[in-house]
């Protein structure tokens, strides 16, 4: 079985609702009927559109593997990826020099700055997109390339992932980055029992790492983490493992809770483009274009400002309008997925950011961020450097 956008979207949102429904340690009693209906309709729609594309764009046997091996020159890809990594490294070093360090260093020396202070507006967003693209190329070289590419490609992958998770102490950026190579892996390989078990263990390790980063960011210990969790209205366990897992749990449920608060306070339909499109503008021009900077709407508390993909859509277009726009995004994701399965090189490379956007749809709206919108342009500009000459895909 392949993980289609429908399976990912429906699985994550259903799981979130079930966790909220059967947990008694939350600062709310239940989710409103309006929110449950909105989510249910999107799940049903994603199933419908997934079936339509499955019939209209059938997958050919081994089409992805055959297409990749037939159309990509892996020696050229290796050279291109190495050069792109070098460019990324130089610019990333410039950012570190420009801001005077990096989050992990600031924690170690007791500097008051955190991960939110790291980066150069617009440039850092561009570097995040390049970093994700390099990771995708690296995983392809690991899967299809010769053994001589294995060591350098593995090293590049480790350095890039470490830059987000360790150097930047960034859980959000780290997960966004990880999901790009994961998308390619899940596009190529079907799920089986072994991969599901390994994926579950890997996911638990990521959750634990996320909890650890929660404490590292502020140079504190588990007691600080327990105090923070209890302050959000959640019951606290004395078990260290459960404490480390709780922040990930909070990032799953609080966006849905915040969405619900906005749904019950929004009209059925309106048209006020503001919150959902601000991600399309570079940071350096956003404040000049919009009179109101992006905010998170009604929140359960200020500390938990994650609001899911749907919240800015609800605030701009109302409940029904949010359904229409979100459905449009799901159509795009399902179409790209089916085209990738059919063997199109362009769509195979374009799929990772849309996979990420669907996977993290419970957390934030990524579909209208520059790193997703410009990613296909990056693919178009890059393909000529490593496609075989006779390839026209």
């Amino acid at each position: 079985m392949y993980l289609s956008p429908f399976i990912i979207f429906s699985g994550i949102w259903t799981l979130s609702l079930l966790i909220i429904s059967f947990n008694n340690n939350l600062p709310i009693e239940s989710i409103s009927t309006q929110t449950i209906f909105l989510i249910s309709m999107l799940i049903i729609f994603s199933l419908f559109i997934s079936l339509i594309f499955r019939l209209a764009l059938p997958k050919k046997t081994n089409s992805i593997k055959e297409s990749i091996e037939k159309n990509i020159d892996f020696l050229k890809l290796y050279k291109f990826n190495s050069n792109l990594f070098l460019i990324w490294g130089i610019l990333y070093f410039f950012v570190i020099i420009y801001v005077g360090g990096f989050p992990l260093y600031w924690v170690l020396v007791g500097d008051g700055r955190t991960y939110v202070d790291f980066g150069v507006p617009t440039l850092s967003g561009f570097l995040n997109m390049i970093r994700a693209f390099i990771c995708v190329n690296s995983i392809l070289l690991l899967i299809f390339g010769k053994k001589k590419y294995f060591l350098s490609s593995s090293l590049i992958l480790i350095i890039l992932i470490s830059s987000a998770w360790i150097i930047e102490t960034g859980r959000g950026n780290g997960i966004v980055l990880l999901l790009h190579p994961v998308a390619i892996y899940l596009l190529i390989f079907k799920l089986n029992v072994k991969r599901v078990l390994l994926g579950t263990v890997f996911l638990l390790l990521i959750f634990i790492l996320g909890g650890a980063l929660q404490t590292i960011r502020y140079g504190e210990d588990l007691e600080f983490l327990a105090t923070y969790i209890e302050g959000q209205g959640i019951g606290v366990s004395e078990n260290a493992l459960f404490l480390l897992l709780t922040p990930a749990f909070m990032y799953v449920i609080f966006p849905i809770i915040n969405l619900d608060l906005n749904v019950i306070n929004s009209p059925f339909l309106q048209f006020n483009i503001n919150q959902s499109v601000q991600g399309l503008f570079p940071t350096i021009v956003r404040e000049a274009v919009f009179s109101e900077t992006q905010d998170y709407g009604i929140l359960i508390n200020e500390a938990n400002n994650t609001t899911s993909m749907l919240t800015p859509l609800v605030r701009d277009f109302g409940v029904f309008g949010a359904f229409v726009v979100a459905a449009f995004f799901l159509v795009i994701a399902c179409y790209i997925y089916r085209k990738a399965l059919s063997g199109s090189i362009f769509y195979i490379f374009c799929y990772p950011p849309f996979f990420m956007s669907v996977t993290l749809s419970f957390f934030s709206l990524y579909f209208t961020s520059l790193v997703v919108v410009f990613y296909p342009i990056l693919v178009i500009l890059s393909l000529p450097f490593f496609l075989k000459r006779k390839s026209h895909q």
Side-chain angles (χ1 to χ4, degrees):
M1 179 184 73
Y2 290 99
L3 272 183
S4 68
F6 157 68
I7 295 175
I8 297 167
F9 182 84
S10 59
I12 288 174
W13 284 84
T14 300
L15 178 62
S16 299
L17 289 176
L18 288 175
I19 290 174
I20 294 173
S21 299
F22 293 99
N23 195 299
N24 297 321
N25 294 323
L26 300 179
I28 63 164
E29 293 184 1
S30 63
I31 296 295
S32 70
T33 304
Q34 300 100 303
T35 299
I36 294 175
F37 183 76
L38 172 61
I39 295 172
S40 300
M41 288 300 98
L42 283 171
I43 291 174
I44 293 171
F45 177 83
S46 65
L47 171 61
F48 172 75
I49 200 65
S50 181
L51 292 175
I52 292 295
F53 284 138
R54 185 182 180 90
L55 295 174
L57 302 169
K59 177 186 179 296
K60 300 176 183 178
T61 305
N62 296 323
S63 56
I64 295 178
K65 293 181 180 179
E66 291 176 356
S67 182
I68 290 174
E69 292 174 340
K70 177 182 178 181
N71 293 290
I72 294 179
D73 186 321
F74 290 102
L75 176 59
K76 289 182 178 179
L77 178 60
Y78 171 74
K79 292 179 178 179
F80 173 81
N81 204 46
S82 299
N83 291 331
L84 193 60
F85 173 70
L86 179 61
I87 294 171
W88 174 87
I90 292 172
L91 293 175
Y92 193 74
F93 182 73
F94 166 79
V95 171
I96 292 175
I97 297 300
Y98 182 83
V99 300
F102 49 90
L104 180 60
Y105 169 76
W106 294 335
V107 170
L108 295 175
V109 300
D111 192 303
R113 289 176 291 178
T114 66
Y115 70 102
V116 298
D117 302 302
F118 180 75
V120 177
T122 303
L123 174 61
S124 290
F126 172 75
L127 290 179
N128 288 343
M129 180 177 66
I130 295 296
R131 180 167 62 181
F133 188 62
I134 298 171
C135 284
V136 168
N137 295 337
S138 297
I139 200 71
L140 284 172
L141 286 167
L142 289 175
I143 295 172
F144 294 98
K146 296 179 180 180
K147 291 183 178 180
K148 63 181 180 180
Y149 306 145
F150 184 85
L151 181 60
S152 59
S153 297
S154 298
L155 186 60
I156 287 175
L157 200 56
I158 292 171
I159 291 173
L160 293 179
I161 292 174
S162 298
S163 69
W165 281 94
I166 300 176
I167 294 177
E168 299 171 16
T169 65
R171 291 172 297 182
N173 281 347
I175 291 175
V176 166
L177 180 63
L178 269 177
L179 287 175
H180 282 73
V182 167
I184 288 294
Y185 183 86
L186 294 177
L187 195 61
I188 295 171
F189 297 105
K190 288 183 177 181
L191 287 181
N192 54 32
V193 175
K194 180 181 178 180
R195 290 183 181 129
V196 169
L197 291 176
L198 288 175
T200 302
V201 172
F202 179 73
L203 196 59
L204 287 174
L205 291 175
I206 292 297
F207 288 165
I208 292 171
L209 177 59
L213 285 175
Q214 181 78 22
T215 60
I216 292 173
R217 279 178 175 178
Y218 304 103
E220 300 288 348
D221 52 21
L222 287 178
E223 186 177 347
F224 162 81
L225 183 60
T227 303
Y228 167 78
I229 293 170
E230 192 172 15
Q232 311 312 310
I234 296 179
V236 177
S237 169
E238 295 182 358
N239 185 285
L241 179 60
F242 280 101
L243 275 178
L244 292 172
L245 288 171
T246 301
F249 160 78
M250 291 166 63
Y251 275 106
V252 171
I253 61 169
F254 275 110
I256 314 300
I257 294 173
N258 289 332
L259 167 64
D260 186 52
L261 294 175
N262 285 274
V263 166
I264 61 180
N265 287 280
S266 296
F268 181 73
L269 182 65
Q270 66 179 9
F271 191 79
N272 181 30
I273 296 180
N274 186 13
Q275 300 300 319
S276 58
V277 299
Q278 290 195 26
L280 293 172
F281 293 83
T283 306
I284 57 177
V285 300
R286 190 176 301 159
E287 293 183 0
V289 174
F290 294 93
S291 57
E292 296 181 17
T293 56
Q294 193 168 24
D295 63 63
Y296 302 100
I298 305 173
L299 301 173
I300 186 70
N301 58 57
E302 292 298 326
N304 293 284
N305 55 14
T306 52
T307 57
S308 87
M309 172 185 82
L310 295 174
T311 303
L313 300 180
V314 168
R315 296 185 66 210
D316 280 354
F317 307 110
V319 179
F320 179 74
F323 167 81
V324 173
V325 178
F328 173 71
F329 291 149
L330 289 173
V331 168
I332 294 175
C334 289
Y335 177 79
I336 292 174
Y337 169 74
R338 292 309 306 183
K339 289 291 288 184
L341 279 185
S342 70
S344 167
I345 290 294
F346 171 73
Y347 287 104
I348 289 172
F349 276 91
C350 283
Y351 179 61
F354 293 92
F355 168 87
M356 178 274 296
S357 298
V358 172
T359 304
L360 296 181
S361 60
F362 72 94
F363 179 75
S364 186
L365 176 61
Y366 287 100
F367 283 100
T368 58
S369 64
L370 283 177
V371 294
V372 173
V373 174
F374 280 175
Y375 199 93
I377 298 175
L378 176 62
V379 171
I380 292 172
L381 295 175
S382 301
L383 284 179
F385 288 97
F386 50 81
L387 284 185
K388 293 179 180 178
R389 290 185 177 181
K390 294 183 180 180
S391 175
H392 299 289
Q393 295 197 42

